[in-house]
Amino acid sequence: MKRIGILTAGGDTPPLNATIHGAVIRANQLKLEIYGFIKGFNCLFNPRVPHVHLNPLFQAIPELDPTKGGTLIGSSRDYVDPNKKDELDLIASRLKYLGIEGLICIGGDGTLNGLQPLAERLPTVLAPKTIDNDLGLNFPSEPDEWVRALDSSKAGYTYKRTPSSTVFDLNQIVNYATPGYATAVMVSAQGIERIRTTAESHRRIAIIEVMGRHSGYIALGTAYGQPDIILIPESPVDIDRVVDRVKYLYDLQKNVVIVCGEGIVDEQGVELAESRSTDPGGNVVFTGAADALRDRLIHIIGDGYFQRYRRGTSAKEAIFTRKVGHTQRGGRPIQFDRFYASLLGAKAVDLLIEGRNNAVSVLQYQSRKGFHVEGYDANRFRDRWGLIHARYLHLSLYDSILMKPSKLGIDYLLPIFTDAIGNDDMEYMRQTLFDPGNLVQPYHSINTDVHKRIRYIDAVD
Ligand code: F6P
């Protein structure tokens, strides 16, 4: 191989540039040219294939900074459609014209699903990313546990898990943690700490919503911010238990902090989020879980309860919601994310060189040896119908009575987070946030610089 391509697909995450950097450094060592495709798969639909040569003379371009959040080559939620054979053939011929002999897609489960038809046309591998931490398997045989049933309401199938008989073991997890997860948890946990003191001062109940779609990993990790109650999508909300706990805590400390994942469900398995739409990749987008939970608490607890403590306060005034929102997806990646994202990017290059088409670089954990990266065949992520499902947080990581991480959940978190923040992460903030230059210099976007490097091909179709 002489030249490969790389793209970033789906929602951004903080260490995307670190993954690209790891791939570029490895490509430099191997004397491989590496082209970055602009805006994910979207670029491949463009006959002129806008791209950037990331390592002219086998040196990384200076704009590629592994400590900067986001992606210098841009991302989008466009995916290739396996049924559009002509479009796929056109993409293959465009890449061939450009001399691309292998492709690295940095993405999550949606990207891995979309990668298959491309892998039938040119060597293609995935380097993982997602703040949701839902790309992976709780154990290698997990895909076999999915069953499907005809769903007349949507003229297709619904997929669900059969009860598992597999013993859950942290050492068996495939892709223990995904680049982006650690930084998202750090931002969320910090947000919780900050909201706590205002809830304490004003005797309020805060409900803080974190991202993660159907997966409760981010919510679980927020335990580091010491919320009182954590609700995850995998464990239906037992509203009576939540109300009892809220009242107990409010009686004790006059404030309560609840964290909820955006995809939490009620006892019937129905999402609390009020609106539910899908993005172009078919991913569910949730809105309103925290507000729906607040409405229920207001209704059940009622004004009288609060008036006993603070004259004149209604339940509406006492219970408030906040979304951590996109801050958990943006900004500088912390050390854990940067380090392993780089290794996973480099491993993706190795997978291409080793001829492991349709493989994924994964972060594995062994309690005796710690973390290491490996290659894993994408097919092993698929159920028997070929679908890749987002990983659910295994329920043994969560204590549904205490509504907190279980002992095993704590054991899961420790290796990721104990040394996740580097000294330089703190020093960076000290040096840059209140830099007087920030007040006078306008923000200089990476897009402005990268734009000058974009090259196009003459249309081949
Ligand atoms: O998958 C990452 C994620 O941040 C989810 O946690 C969240 O539901 C979604 O993306 C938000 O997507 P958007 O980019 O459309 O706001």
Side-chain angles (χ1 to χ4, degrees):
M1 269 184 195
K2 291 214 159 33
R3 185 178 296 161
I4 60 172
I6 192 163
L7 59 81
T8 44
D12 70 331
T13 60
L16 285 171
N17 285 326
T19 310
I20 299 171
H21 192 260
V24 167
I25 297 302
R26 188 77 185 116
N28 293 345
Q29 289 164 349
L30 297 167
K31 296 284 173 281
L32 262 180
E33 290 183 327
I34 181 161
Y35 285 8
F37 294 121
I38 301 297
K39 273 184 69 187
F41 288 109
N42 183 283
C43 158
L44 306 182
F45 303 128
N46 180 340
R48 299 186 65 212
V49 196
H51 60 275
V52 171
H53 188 178
L54 294 170
N55 65 342
L57 303 177
F58 305 111
Q59 282 187 352
I61 57 170
E63 291 83 7
L64 178 52
D65 177 355
T67 67
K68 196 167 163 55
T71 161
L72 87 162
I73 48 178
S75 189
S76 70
R77 290 201 187 271
D78 297 305
Y79 294 101
V80 287
D81 182 341
N83 301 315
K84 294 191 175 160
K85 307 267 182 245
D86 293 348
E87 192 168 70
L88 281 159
D89 290 342
L90 270 177
I91 290 174
S93 59
R94 286 168 195 153
L95 292 177
K96 191 163 176 210
Y97 181 84
L98 200 53
I100 298 295
E101 295 172 82
L103 179 65
I104 298 172
C105 302
I106 308 176
D109 57 311
T111 312
L112 190 54
N113 264 323
L115 184 143
Q116 175 83 19
L118 274 181
E120 286 163 13
R121 286 163 173 86
L122 93 155
T124 307
V125 297
L126 183 110
K129 66 92 213 181
T130 163
I131 61 163
D132 302 344
N133 200 26
D134 59 356
L135 174 67
L137 302 171
N138 285 308
F139 38 85
S141 62
E142 196 173 29
D144 304 339
E145 295 182 350
W146 285 90
V147 290
R148 72 177 190 184
L150 262 177
D151 183 344
S152 47
S153 65
K154 54 179 194 183
Y157 294 97
T158 45
Y159 292 80
K160 61 173 194 199
R161 292 272 303 279
T162 49
S164 176
S165 58
T166 311
V167 177
F168 180 70
D169 173 358
L170 295 180
N171 292 291
Q172 298 299 319
I173 295 178
V174 178
N175 205 31
Y176 194 90
T178 319
Y181 172 58
T183 307
V185 166
M186 182 209 62
V187 173
S188 309
Q190 275 189 328
I192 287 150
E193 278 182 354
R194 288 183 181 277
I195 287 181
R196 166 71 77 181
T197 53
T198 186
E200 248 170 353
S201 308
H202 292 274
R203 303 302 200 233
R204 288 192 185 152
I205 297 172
I207 307 174
I208 304 165
E209 183 179 311
V210 294
M211 286 184 171
R213 298 191 202 277
H214 297 287
S215 145
Y217 280 100
I218 299 179
L220 191 85
T222 65
Y224 280 104
Q226 295 186 297
D228 301 298
I229 296 174
I230 296 174
L231 302 172
I232 61 167
E234 292 85 349
S235 177
V237 176
D238 178 338
I239 195 72
D240 294 334
R241 179 173 293 141
V242 174
V243 168
D244 285 351
R245 186 93 187 122
V246 164
K247 283 181 166 176
Y248 168 80
L249 289 163
Y250 199 81
D251 287 349
L252 177 73
Q253 59 194 32
K254 319 250 175 315
N255 71 93
V256 184
V257 174
I258 304 171
V259 167
C260 72
E262 61 186 355
I264 52 169
V265 298
D266 65 17
E267 278 154 320
Q268 282 69 47
V270 179
E271 280 114 19
L272 264 68
E274 277 151 6
S275 71
R276 190 183 195 276
S277 51
T278 44
D279 70 13
N283 293 308
V284 179
V285 182
F286 294 117
T287 328
D291 290 332
L293 182 63
R294 174 177 179 259
D295 288 347
R296 287 182 201 199
L297 294 184
I298 289 173
H299 177 72
I300 300 173
I301 300 178
D303 293 342
Y305 174 77
F306 294 98
Q307 281 156 2
R308 284 211 302 280
Y309 288 95
R310 291 196 294 149
R311 250 178 328 133
T313 299
S314 64
K316 271 193 179 146
E317 281 173 286
I319 308 176
F320 71 105
T321 62
R322 284 294 174 272
K323 265 181 147 181
V324 181
H326 287 77
T327 53
Q328 67 206 288
R329 231 171 63 181
R332 191 179 194 273
I334 56 174
Q335 179 176 266
F336 179 91
D337 272 344
R338 286 198 311 273
F339 183 74
Y340 290 110
S342 299
L343 292 187
L344 289 160
K347 183 68 189 175
V349 175
D350 289 340
L351 292 173
L352 282 178
I353 296 295
E354 290 161 12
R356 290 193 58 187
N357 182 27
N358 205 355
V360 184
S361 55
V362 290
L363 182 62
Q364 296 301 99
Y365 174 73
Q366 284 292 315
S367 37
R368 279 183 301 128
K369 291 194 270 178
F371 289 107
H372 66 280
V373 295
E374 266 180 24
Y376 201 80
D377 292 334
N379 217 19
R380 296 180 66 193
F381 283 103
R382 296 176 198 285
D383 70 12
R384 63 194 104 152
W385 299 280
L387 264 191
I388 290 158
H389 300 276
R391 173 172 62 193
Y392 284 81
L393 183 143
H394 198 277
L395 277 176
S396 57
L397 300 180
Y398 180 71
D399 184 328
S400 59
I401 308 292
L402 291 178
M403 295 177 279
K404 291 199 163 175
S406 63
K407 167 76 177 69
L408 195 59
I410 292 171
D411 289 345
Y412 170 77
L413 295 170
L414 290 177
I416 304 173
F417 292 101
T418 303
D419 293 314
I421 300 180
N423 291 339
D424 63 316
D425 292 325
M426 302 317 296
E427 183 58 15
Y428 174 82
M429 184 175 121
R430 199 184 67 78
Q431 285 189 13
T432 61
L433 189 62
F434 294 134
D435 181 339
N438 293 349
L439 298 174
V440 287
Q441 293 298 324
Y443 181 72
H444 183 77
S445 173
I446 187 75
N447 293 349
T448 314
D449 291 333
V450 170
H451 186 76
K452 299 169 202 163
R453 293 188 178 272
I454 296 180
R455 301 285 174 265
Y456 301 89
I457 60 171
D458 307 327
V460 282
D461 32 290

